[in-house]
Amino acid sequence: MPNDHDQDHTEPPSDIVLKVKALESLLVEKGLVNAAALDEIIETYEHKVGPRNGAHLVAKAWHDSDFKEKLLENPTEAAAALGYVGRQGEHLRVVENTPSQHNLVVCTLCSCYPWTVLGLPPAWYKSAPYRSRVVSEPRSVLREFGTELENEVVIRVWDSTSEMRYLVLPLRPAGTDGWTEAQLQQLVSRNSMIGVELAKSPAEINQTNQGIE
Ligand code: FE
């Protein structure tokens, strides 16, 4: 997907982006850092470290109803209690999927994203096609991610801002009664917390993970 993000991003200022790029080029040129290693670090934060924080919150909410209540009532505080603290002035809101409502998150203006619980936003999240199409044709976008919802399920799209950032609490998959929080956490993907996918089923985990103890 083309990325028009930089052209119409209103924050932060683009000279910061340029300075970072210039610094990166200089460090690579001087042999102080390796471009592939940098990509690896970004990849790690985008896919591993960041989303694990959110997966921790979701799995804990599935496992502990008191925590779920706190997470829905005051997400910023509930996340902070586990050590996931955002910048001042930004609020987290957790939107819960139910059998009748599916939640989907976008930032139509730029790329606002709950960094403290999801890490770096993926490139597609920042792309112009996602930002516009998710509002006008959410069901088609979901289908492209392999997510088919029943026609009766209402899709609600939440538009993030720099002040309010959304995290989807996916439906707990069937067949997970008695699972520990750590086991549940493996079912929570980054995309399920943006709302473009559902949480994984136990069968999907078994395929990739040789089963759960
Ligand atoms: Fe934004």
Side-chain angles (χ1 to χ4, degrees):
M1 280 189 183
N3 183 0
D4 295 340
H5 175 241
D6 292 341
Q7 283 88 351
D8 50 16
H9 202 306
T10 51
E11 32 91 39
S14 62
D15 63 331
I16 293 287
V17 176
L18 288 173
K19 281 178 185 168
V20 169
K21 212 62 202 158
L23 257 180
E24 181 188 334
S25 305
L26 193 64
L27 289 169
V28 170
E29 194 184 304
K30 297 278 179 196
L32 293 172
V33 298
N34 174 302
L38 267 186
D39 288 345
E40 177 67 30
I41 290 169
I42 291 170
E43 166 79 12
T44 300
Y45 275 90
E46 190 177 311
H47 294 285
K48 295 173 186 163
V49 179
R52 240 181 241 157
N53 298 348
H56 183 193
L57 293 178
V58 168
K60 195 170 175 64
W62 283 344
H63 196 254
D64 173 350
S65 55
D66 287 345
F67 181 78
K68 178 178 162 184
E69 207 173 300
K70 281 181 201 151
L71 186 67
L72 292 171
E73 264 173 28
N74 193 338
T76 308
E77 206 172 90
L82 297 187
Y84 309 133
V85 182
R87 292 177 306 176
Q88 269 190 337
E90 74 178 42
H91 299 283
L92 182 66
R93 179 160 175 197
V94 175
V95 286
E96 183 185 14
N97 284 350
T98 66
S100 57
Q101 179 174 305
H102 182 87
N103 298 289
L104 192 48
V105 179
V106 66
C107 172
T108 54
L109 183 67
C110 45
S111 59
C112 297
Y113 191 72
W115 284 53
T116 47
V117 289
L118 286 188
L120 298 173
W124 56 259
Y125 183 86
K126 300 183 280 188
S127 73
Y130 177 76
R131 285 159 36 213
S132 58
R133 290 184 57 230
V134 87
V135 176
S136 58
E137 41 173 336
R139 220 167 268 274
S140 306
V141 172
L142 285 177
R143 204 165 289 128
E144 286 162 26
F145 278 92
T147 306
E148 291 279 352
L149 297 175
E150 301 289 335
N151 285 334
E152 303 80 64
V153 178
V154 173
I155 301 174
R156 177 135 189 214
V157 180
W158 300 86
D159 194 359
S160 301
T161 65
S162 55
E163 284 84 33
M164 186 62 80
R165 307 188 183 218
Y166 298 93
L167 180 80
V168 174
L169 175 57
L171 274 176
R172 179 172 174 163
T176 58
D177 287 353
W179 282 35
T180 65
E181 194 182 302
Q183 288 173 322
L184 290 169
Q185 200 167 326
Q186 299 179 69
L187 302 173
V188 189
S189 65
R190 175 196 66 194
N191 285 1
S192 70
M193 294 181 281
I194 300 174
V196 290
E197 289 173 9
L198 305 177
K200 292 176 191 146
S201 66
E204 281 176 89
I205 288 291
N206 282 332
Q207 279 167 9
T208 55
N209 215 16
Q210 299 294 307
I212 288 174
E213 299 290 310

